[in-house]
Amino acid sequence: MSPDPHRVAVLVYDGVKLLDVAGPADVFGEANLLGADYRIALVSTTGADVTSSVGMRVAVDGSAAAQPDPGTFLVPGGDVYPRTAVTRDLAEAAGDLAARAGRVASVCSGAFILGATGLLDGRRATTHWKITAELAARHPKARVEPDAIYVRDGTVYTSAGVTAGIDLALALVEEDHGPEVSREVARSLVVYLQRPGGQSQFSAPLQGPPPRSPALRRIVDLVMADPVGDHSLPELAGRLNVSTRHLTRLFREELGTTPARYVESIRFDIAKSLLDQGYNATQAAAMAGFPSYESLRRVFSRELSLTPAGYQRRFATTRREETDRQ
């Protein structure tokens, strides 16, 4: 462990999201229990306390200008951006801290604040998938990656929404103190260790609309438990003790799709997750229950306009990219 403290400056503002502040802060705090020495300071543009997005007051330690040069400068997200333009005083405070920091990071819509400083120009970046198009439109010189958990470009890190800030903070702890400390922090916080930065923000089975009826929820469980099994319409109807006609009507009325297409969508999500984990396309197709690689490729082409291999290249993990550069 380094004998010198690592200062972390977190720039907060009216409308900031509490979890974007507390999640990374807890990661750094847990690392301190394992021998790290992160010194966290919450700062605002003027040094005045701010009000979070849920109305709770956030006490700050001082103004951004008065903060010593930080090892890490972190900008959390908030609902106020990108709904409105970033104010000049907030952009100037962020630009000053970024210029003095060893590395810079944002969580969710905090990327818009970094973008307002010009820091994202010519860099790869990400944010919550719902607002990546807006980030790209507002900052056309940035190379926005719409589906990554977090992205590192040099000393600038940007991450997706809310819990992705925890993934990013774990990556920063690993960078500073190694994988063992990062793993222990994750275990202590009971969080997933460790979603690689380039992994898709969507993890199976999150994408499909969640069924309301118990019968349809049971089908999700059946397919997830055994994706390679027989999940044809007659087989599913028999497992649920309903007629094929009744089951088809349930799917049409509740989900607007057919049983076969819904099973395929679950298998598609499973295949994407397997590709995220490093399995090749042929392995992912077989393990997700597709009859062949070609059938998986057709679904990828229809849903994403990408081949499975193209998807995997696009969302290759940040860690793998960094290894390739060494």
Side-chain angles (χ1 to χ4, degrees):
M1 299 294 180
S2 170
D4 299 322
H6 185 119
R7 299 184 184 279
V8 180
V10 182
L11 180 61
V12 295
Y13 48 89
D14 287 334
V16 72
K17 191 174 290 292
L18 282 176
L19 190 54
D20 286 4
V21 177
D26 267 345
V27 170
F28 295 129
E30 287 293 328
N32 286 344
L33 299 179
L34 299 170
D37 190 8
Y38 292 104
R39 308 287 177 87
I40 303 170
L42 302 186
V43 300
S44 64
T45 57
T46 64
D49 295 347
V50 301
T51 303
S52 74
S53 61
V54 295
M56 294 177 62
R57 185 174 66 86
V58 179
V60 306
D61 300 299
S63 69
Q67 173 66 21
D69 294 354
T72 298
F73 167 46
L74 177 69
V75 186
D79 296 334
V80 63
Y81 306 113
R83 294 178 181 173
T84 62
V86 176
T87 61
R88 177 178 295 181
D89 61 337
L90 186 57
E92 289 177 349
D96 172 63
L97 281 169
R100 296 190 284 118
R103 64 189 176 198
V104 180
S106 67
V107 182
C108 196
S109 62
F112 285 83
I113 299 173
L114 293 187
T117 72
L119 197 60
L120 300 186
D121 290 354
R123 296 183 187 272
R124 297 164 51 244
T126 195
T127 187
H128 191 286
W129 62 270
K130 286 186 176 180
I131 52 177
T132 51
E134 177 64 25
L135 182 66
R138 193 173 297 188
H139 302 289
K141 294 182 181 179
R143 300 192 300 275
V144 178
E145 300 188 1
D147 199 17
I149 297 294
Y150 61 86
V151 169
R152 175 186 180 181
D153 192 319
T155 59
V156 177
Y157 301 72
T158 51
S159 64
V162 190
T163 57
I166 295 175
D167 296 292
L168 174 57
L170 285 168
L172 296 178
V173 168
E174 180 172 339
E175 181 179 293
D176 295 337
H177 300 294
E180 288 302 322
V181 172
S182 180
R183 276 195 288 270
E184 286 303 316
V185 170
R187 290 191 188 103
S188 179
L189 294 177
V190 197
V191 295
Y192 187 101
L193 181 73
Q194 172 183 359
R195 291 189 297 177
Q199 180 174 314
S200 169
Q201 291 182 34
F202 303 110
S203 298
L206 297 180
Q207 289 201 77
R212 294 187 303 274
S213 69
L216 299 190
R217 289 199 300 270
R218 173 65 175 151
I219 288 177
V220 175
D221 293 339
L222 288 170
V223 180
M224 290 297 298
D226 182 21
V228 302
D230 179 4
H231 301 300
S232 63
L233 176 58
E235 179 68 19
L236 290 173
R239 297 284 291 273
L240 299 177
N241 198 28
V242 298
S243 69
T244 57
R245 184 175 181 180
H246 176 68
L247 186 58
T248 300
R249 185 170 65 251
L250 277 177
F251 270 96
R252 183 177 63 251
E253 292 176 352
E254 185 172 333
L255 300 176
T257 189
T258 65
R261 180 57 65 88
Y262 193 70
V263 169
E264 182 183 77
S265 73
I266 297 174
R267 286 171 166 162
F268 172 59
D269 284 346
I270 293 171
K272 286 202 304 176
S273 181
L274 291 167
L275 291 170
D276 289 337
Q277 295 171 48
Y279 292 94
N280 65 41
T282 302
Q283 291 170 325
M287 294 169 69
F290 285 91
S292 67
Y293 164 76
E294 280 301 316
S295 61
L296 176 63
R297 187 189 62 78
R298 284 193 294 271
V299 176
F300 264 78
S301 179
R302 184 186 70 227
E303 298 295 332
L304 299 177
S305 298
L306 286 172
T307 64
Y311 170 88
Q312 196 166 43
R313 285 193 300 270
R314 178 176 174 183
F315 300 122
T317 69
T318 298
R319 184 175 300 165
R320 187 181 303 131
E321 291 171 354
E322 291 171 355
T323 300
D324 291 343
R325 295 191 192 109
Q326 295 174 355

